Amino acid sequence: GNSVTQMEGPVTLSEEAFLTINCTYTATGYPSLFWYVQYPGEGLQLLLKATKADDKGSNKGFEATYRKETTSFHLEKGSVQVSDSAVYFCALTTSNTGKLIFGQGTTLQVKP
Amino acid sequence: DTAVSQTPKYLVTQMGNDKSIKCEQNLGHDTMYWYKQDSKKFLKIMFSYNNKELIINETVPNRFSPKSPDKAHLNLHINSLELGDSAVYFCASSQDQAVRSYEQYFGPGTRLTVT
């Protein structure tokens, strides 16, 4: 079946450090890929997305490239801020039902 | 103006009780969803409705029953609550579930604690 695997957290970084959160997927068909972010005490919000191979999604300094050959969608940011502290979820959908399949989430803590 | 709202935000109740969580979206979306987030932050879809029609019904106990009076509302009723039902429940909506690139908009969540 379809699944998403993220790197284990928590990830603790100093402000201005480089961030990578790994995400790999298994899917039948051609999935659309997403990164959602959950700030403390809030619901999820879309961070970025990509719908076909080699697409790069970007938003708020975050980027991720849809790599079909490695079935990956790693999240990167060149310089993190304290305000980026949150839980990050990689997700995919392959069907026309809107069913999102999430990875287990990666907690990021950025220290000043 | 909140796009997807849920009530209540917190719900503490005893085992065996029946409770409901309400969700409303003002985005004009056709599809609404319920997700469950467990204590380890893992998210899993439970149900989805498109224009009041049930689309997704994952392996969820029969004690959980969604109800959609109109396309702007999707409520979740839970009978005979059990300790394992303790979780955060998120409502979400999207413009059209058949378009895979459409994002889902999430509500703030309802933290259910069963004692």
Side-chain angles (χ1 to χ4, degrees), chain A residues 80-97:
Chain A
V80 293
Q81 306 300 312
V82 172
S83 57
D84 293 327
S85 298
V87 182
Y88 292 80
F89 292 91
C90 186
L92 68 80
T93 183
T94 61
S95 70
N96 62 356
T97 64

Side-chain angles (χ1 to χ4, degrees), chain B residues 4-62:
Chain B
V4 182
S5 58
Q6 296 179 228
T7 54
K9 189 167 175 63
Y10 299 97
L11 185 53
V12 181
T13 188
Q14 291 184 328
M15 286 175 55
N17 285 348
D18 303 338
K19 291 293 179 185
S20 292
I21 306 171
K22 295 185 176 181
C23 178
E24 176 181 3
Q25 55 95 2
N26 63 7
L27 298 167
H29 287 167
D30 288 335
T31 308
M32 296 184 73
Y33 311 81
W34 277 110
Y35 288 87
K36 179 180 180 181
Q37 186 175 46
D38 64 22
S39 58
K40 296 184 178 180
K41 301 280 189 186
F42 184 69
L43 273 157
K44 193 171 190 305
I45 192 164
M46 301 172 69
F47 303 101
S48 78
Y49 271 75
N50 180 267
N51 269 318
K52 303 194 295 176
E53 179 185 351
L54 182 66
I55 301 296
I56 296 174
N57 185 354
E58 290 290 290
T59 309
V60 175
N62 291 338

